[in-house]
Amino acid sequence: MIRLWNRRGGALLLAVLSTGVLVSSAIFSRQQAEERRLDAAVLGQLMAVSTAAAAGNLTVEEQNELWNQASQQVGAQVRRLRIPIVITDTLGNPSSSAHLPDDFPLGPTGDPDDQALREFVAELDALRPPFEAPGLQVHFGDPEFTSRLRLIPWLQAASLLVILGSGGWLLFLSFRSERERIWSAMARESAHQMGTPLSSLVGWLEVLETRPRPRGSEVGQPDLIDEMAADVTRLQKVSHRFELIGHKPTLEPMSVRATALQLRQYFEARLPTLSRTGKIEIAVEMDTESPEVLGNATLLEWAFENLIKNAIDALAPDGGRIVISYLGPNGKRSVFRVLDTGPGIPPALRDKIFNIGVTTKKHGWGVGLSLVRRIIEDMHDGSIRLEDTGRGASFRIELPRHRPGTRGT
């Protein structure tokens, strides 16, 4: 469910970002063209004012009057563009100004500070030379929207990077989803194919139950029919697991401790005595009061069984210890660990050990840990990760805690 939401959310994010970049580019391009047109009109009128001032020797009062007339002619365009303008005489003494920054310092009389105006004029002249006329200079800066336009390429570049990243991630999720769909289909088909011979075996066992049972040749030899029945029961359980892997299971309160104890009992009866150090030890370090989790008992047993089997394979033939422990709560989850004292995971495989086809075994298929991750993360909304403990393999597992009064899903 989480990965499905990630795919849908990523696709929606990609569509929104792409649309946003296209729409914003169109809007800002149109705005830039319009602002440039108005900018050209304003600068043309300013040039006309400068030309008129250059036609004769005007006093400062006449120059100010001419500037006021130009301001009225420019009108709405100047107010819209908010072009900062300062008029000075040829010695650099400011006579009037317009559209200064909002935080421009003021003098004692409430007018713009004279020294600050001189410094601002130097900043404007660094951008472009002023219009000059006999007795005056017109210093002007960039329209207010120019600062916003400078951000557009950076915003577009950042958006494109996000789009490319999102596209790559969605492509990766698509490949993974395809592999998982194939896996689910194979699992359901395997369960279907196992159904017929299992039904036949159950029927043959019922026939054998009606006949006298053969006696073992030695004292203590297990009853053959009981052992056959136990194996058939386990095959039925495996078939049921494959049936569940293809869809979201029902989650109910269950005890991970009870599952771990059952698995320990199952494996201890089948562990060989190794030539060097003896048997492999399986320890369950959980109190009887360890909290229940919301899970599917069949699938979680499968997940923990795979982790234990991998640990047994890693410990053979030298032997060692496998520890299944409860670490405590973490928010709304309970944290467990499956640890072994084996050689551990090679560094080159640590980041991709949960991928399908990745295995440390010579003849392994590389589906066990991928299956474990699918059960824990996709089907239980939990998490599993490989911890760095320095030796052996340590898997940290988080599962949703069961809170009394809540119902499973």
Side-chain angles (χ1 to χ4, degrees):
M1 291 295 290
I2 292 177
R3 292 203 178 118
L4 178 60
W5 184 90
N6 284 341
R7 290 193 293 270
R8 291 177 178 174
L12 179 61
L13 176 62
L14 187 61
V16 170
L17 286 175
S18 301
T19 304
V21 170
L22 292 175
V23 172
S24 62
S25 298
I27 292 176
F28 279 117
S29 297
R30 182 175 180 180
Q31 181 183 8
Q32 185 177 17
E34 179 65 17
E35 300 291 2
R36 289 302 181 188
R37 185 184 66 81
L38 295 175
D39 191 14
V42 170
L43 292 180
Q45 292 179 358
L46 289 176
M47 180 65 75
V49 172
S50 299
T51 302
N57 295 324
L58 302 178
T59 64
V60 173
E61 290 77 10
E62 291 172 337
Q63 293 173 9
N64 290 337
E65 178 63 24
L66 188 61
W67 165 246
N68 291 332
Q69 293 177 3
S71 297
Q72 293 176 0
Q73 293 174 1
V74 174
Q77 291 93 329
V78 172
R79 289 192 296 271
R80 179 181 178 184
L81 293 175
R82 292 190 59 82
I83 300 176
I85 298 175
V86 180
I87 295 181
T88 66
D89 59 18
T90 55
L91 298 178
N93 299 311
S95 58
S96 61
S97 61
H99 304 127
L100 300 177
D102 294 335
D103 58 350
F104 200 87
L106 302 178
T109 61
D111 295 327
D113 181 74
D114 187 73
Q115 182 59 34
L117 272 178
R118 294 175 185 272
E119 296 175 357
F120 187 56
V121 165
E123 295 177 8
L124 297 179
D125 291 347
L127 294 175
R128 60 179 57 85
F131 285 124
E132 295 187 7
L136 65 84
Q137 291 181 329
V138 180
H139 313 264
F140 64 96
D142 291 327
E144 189 179 63
F145 75 90
T146 304
S147 59
R148 298 195 302 271
L149 291 177
R150 292 193 185 101
L151 296 176
I152 294 175
W154 296 104
L155 292 175
Q156 290 178 334
S159 299
L160 288 175
L161 286 176
V162 173
I163 290 173
L164 291 175
S166 300
W169 176 245
L170 287 175
L171 188 61
F172 170 75
L173 289 180
S174 177
F175 288 151
R176 175 184 289 180
S177 176
E178 182 63 25
R179 291 197 301 267
E180 291 178 349
R181 282 196 295 269
I182 294 174
W183 167 254
S184 298
M186 291 178 62
R188 290 193 295 268
E189 179 63 19
S190 297
H192 175 71
Q193 294 294 333
M194 291 173 64
T196 301
L198 277 175
S199 299
S200 178
L201 283 172
V202 170
W204 285 117
L205 280 173
E206 291 176 353
V207 172
L208 289 175
E209 288 285 351
T210 63
R211 300 179 180 182
R213 296 196 178 195
R215 295 183 179 180
S217 58
E218 298 179 4
V219 177
Q221 182 176 344
D223 185 89
L224 299 180
I225 294 180
D226 288 343
E227 291 301 315
M228 289 176 62
D231 286 337
V232 169
T233 299
R234 184 153 192 83
L235 283 173
Q236 289 174 326
K237 180 185 290 188
V238 171
S239 176
H240 184 51
R241 290 175 177 178
F242 279 105
E243 291 173 356
L244 290 175
I245 200 67
H247 55 82
K248 187 77 172 178
T250 299
L251 305 184
E252 298 177 346
M254 59 160 291
S255 170
V256 173
R257 179 178 181 272
T259 298
L261 291 175
Q262 291 173 3
L263 288 172
R264 182 180 69 178
Q265 180 181 3
Y266 172 78
F267 280 109
E268 283 182 343
R270 291 161 175 79
L271 287 174
T273 299
L274 302 177
S275 58
R276 298 182 187 176
T277 59
K279 291 185 177 180
I280 296 173
E281 178 188 357
I282 301 176
V284 178
E285 297 182 352
M286 299 186 200
D287 296 332
T288 55
E289 295 81 11
S290 59
E292 292 184 325
V293 301
L294 280 177
N296 181 279
T298 300
L299 290 176
L300 284 183
E301 179 187 11
W302 197 5
F304 279 90
E305 179 183 312
N306 272 325
L307 292 175
I308 296 173
K309 287 173 65 177
N310 284 347
I312 292 173
D313 291 340
L315 293 174
D318 297 332
R321 195 164 187 260
I322 302 170
V323 180
I324 310 167
S325 57
Y326 169 65
L327 302 184
N330 181 22
K332 296 181 179 180
R333 293 175 173 177
S334 293
V335 184
F336 302 89
R337 173 182 289 153
V338 178
L339 177 147
D340 66 67
T341 59
I345 308 296
L349 299 181
R350 294 183 66 87
D351 293 336
K352 51 185 178 181
I353 192 63
F354 293 104
N355 294 345
I356 294 177
V358 177
T359 179
T360 60
K361 303 174 186 178
K362 186 176 181 180
H363 301 291
W365 289 88
V367 296
L369 287 178
S370 175
L371 174 65
V372 171
R373 182 179 63 180
R374 180 175 177 84
I375 291 174
I376 291 175
E377 295 187 356
D378 292 357
M379 299 185 175
H380 289 83
D381 293 331
S383 68
I384 179 171
R385 63 181 176 87
L386 178 65
E387 297 179 308
D388 187 5
T389 58
R391 175 167 174 77
S394 177
F395 293 91
R396 177 187 173 96
I397 302 164
E398 297 188 12
L399 294 168
R401 278 190 299 129
H402 168 60
R403 290 172 292 173
T406 61
R407 302 177 62 182
T409 58

